[in-house]
Amino acid sequence: LACLQCRKLKKKCDGEIPCLNCTSRGQAHVCSRAELKEACAFCKKRKIRCDKMRPCSRCVSSGRQTECMGSDEIEIERGHTLDLSDDQDLADPPTSDFVESSIADEYSPMDESLQSSSTDSTLQVNVIRPLQTAMHLYLRDPVSGEVRDAHLERLRIPRLLIKAFLQVGYNSTLMVKMFHDMPSNVRSAFFHGSNAIELIATSSFMGEFAIMRHQQQASDSKHLFNIDSLRDAVSTEAGLGYWIMEMDPNTMVRTKVEISSGIAFFLNMHPEEMLARLGNCDNALPNSELEFFGNMTYEIAKVLDSRIVRNVRMIRRCPRSGKLTDPLLARLISMKERDAHGRVIRVMNVLQRLSPEEYDSACRNEPETCRPLMDCLGDVRGGEELLESANYDSLFTQSFASLNGSAQGLQQAQKLTEKVQQLFAPFVEYATSKGLLR
């Protein structure tokens, strides 16, 4: 009998639980033959469509998988009358999206027949394929950042910024649109700060400036990271995903990209599709325009730090239609591994799903890391409200075009300009003092 997911997608199923199709999509935990007739209580309350799985995809994306249940299940739990002591088939499904774990760990507990017949010497273990292994791509002809585009040249975007943007794998057309719609005062402040960083980075004063900044702030920027050990440590944790870029320290051009299957599942993409988009610089923006600009500006201003933490809201798209689907809250940790000369050789980005409660807690403890720069626009909403309005914000309210359309938007643009100038002030002041910037 085909599983519920294969029946919905009208695909041939191998009849196993989890089946090959669900495993290859990174959705082994939702593979089931039983179809529930009732939506979960969370989807009912929000009046949204539920896939009737337990946990459903919407509860998984919002970090509520442990609370996903129907009204009858809630009544049972309130009365404490449910006894699962004899139900061996209700073991928790595997939750790890990572690929470095062994097959025995990834698909434990073992099949009941194997446990009851451990003395039989003819036992055979069926390995589920394809294995959920990390995927990597070697770039023989990497993007150098020397893009000859009339729109880019007309906007006079700093070359270092173009290179950094393309190394991450984002579509250059989206970048042009964002900077084209950006209010002139915001764009001027951003380019002025980025240009100061580029002048310092390409001069003989970079080492002196880095030492001065490290002495002024007690941060993790002095620490050196080993990506290999970090990958091994992160791969044992459930609910995490990562992508790694190896860089040529002389040209700062990426030479290899590696992703885990978990990160592709978070973004509602097949691992091969995500890898191809990274290699071809064809990724859509993972946030609204304003949120993406805030994340980018914050990361550029922390260019000397080896560890950057941000708590963000991410939008996801349907792989087929491109329409917006369920958003998620996540903690994005960027770590840089440097060589003996302090040059970046590898960058590892770890994505951890957050529940609305965890996001709210992070906002109370570390407000600077939560959706950077959005606070200066007066947007300090909690996790629940952010998830409910994510798609509407991305389409209508949180774009630079919307700021240009009203007097209130222009006032917000001025506040955003002041915040950008504040973040880039150390670079601008130093470059001016050394005669690099006039």
Side-chain angles (χ1 to χ4, degrees), residues 176-188:
V176 170
K177 179 184 180 302
M178 181 180 68
F179 286 119
H180 181 270
D181 294 341
M182 192 179 296
S184 58
N185 53 346
V186 179
R187 183 169 62 242
S188 177

Side-chain angles (χ1 to χ4, degrees), residues 192-259:
H192 190 61
S194 302
N195 189 42
I197 294 177
E198 181 175 357
L199 292 173
I200 295 173
T202 56
S203 71
S204 59
F205 300 109
M206 182 61 187
E208 176 187 338
F209 178 74
I211 294 174
M212 182 188 71
R213 290 294 294 167
H214 291 165
Q215 292 174 347
Q216 290 176 351
Q217 57 186 12
S219 66
D220 292 335
S221 57
K222 295 181 182 179
H223 298 175
L224 298 179
F225 294 92
N226 184 282
I227 299 297
D228 294 326
S229 60
L230 286 171
R231 181 202 289 117
D232 295 338
V234 170
S235 63
T236 61
E237 299 291 335
L240 296 175
Y242 71 85
W243 72 96
I244 299 173
M245 290 188 298
E246 294 189 6
M247 317 288 291
D248 183 340
N250 296 315
T251 61
M252 291 307 298
V253 171
R254 59 182 186 167
T255 58
K256 178 185 175 183
V257 177
E258 177 182 334
I259 66 169

Side-chain angles (χ1 to χ4, degrees), residues 143-145 158-170 175 245 247 252 254 296 299-300:
V143 177
S144 64
R159 290 176 298 173
L160 190 65
L161 179 60
I162 297 176
K163 178 183 290 189
F165 198 93
L166 294 178
Q167 299 307 308
V168 182
Y170 294 116
M175 178 179 67
M245 290 188 298
M247 317 288 291
M252 291 307 298
R254 59 182 186 167
M296 178 178 63
E299 183 173 2
I300 294 175

